[in-house]
Amino acid sequence: MIHLMELENPDPVHGRPSNGGRDRHMCLHIKNLDGLKAILKTKGVSYTESMSLKPQLFIRDPDGNCLEFQPLDMEPSCRVE
């Protein structure tokens, strides 16, 4: 379960790393990364790709929070056991 809430933002929107992979973020696994890229381009939403050359992309919401997307078949970069 994920709770998304609109709150007064104590974090700065500006001055964050340009690549979301270098900032705190959460990751979502999706079925079609290329399809998401196409949709984001069509909608004019900017994104960055992984600096590690892995098939990942990062977007920011209007408050500057970062979301990472990667394919379902990709191993998570960290795992809690």
Side-chain angles (χ1 to χ4, degrees):
M1 181 184 310
I2 298 174
H3 290 246
L4 301 175
M5 301 165 55
E6 184 175 352
L7 302 171
E8 192 172 319
N9 187 6
D11 294 324
V13 174
H14 304 290
R16 307 285 280 275
S18 59
N19 187 297
R22 301 290 183 230
D23 200 359
R24 63 181 179 269
H25 61 276
M26 67 178 262
C27 178
L28 301 170
H29 283 181
I30 60 173
K31 289 182 181 179
N32 187 345
L33 190 63
D34 289 331
L36 177 60
K37 286 182 188 180
I39 291 168
L40 294 174
K41 284 180 184 177
T42 300
K43 300 290 184 181
V45 176
S46 62
Y47 62 86
T48 57
E49 297 191 56
S50 175
M51 296 173 75
S52 68
L53 304 178
K54 293 178 182 175
Q56 302 163 321
L57 65 89
F58 302 87
I59 63 171
R60 291 195 181 273
D61 71 12
D63 289 324
N65 301 304
C66 181
L67 292 173
E68 173 185 351
F69 296 91
Q70 60 180 244
L72 274 173
D73 59 354
M74 186 174 160
E75 272 296 310
S77 51
C78 65
R79 184 181 297 264
V80 177
E81 299 200 27

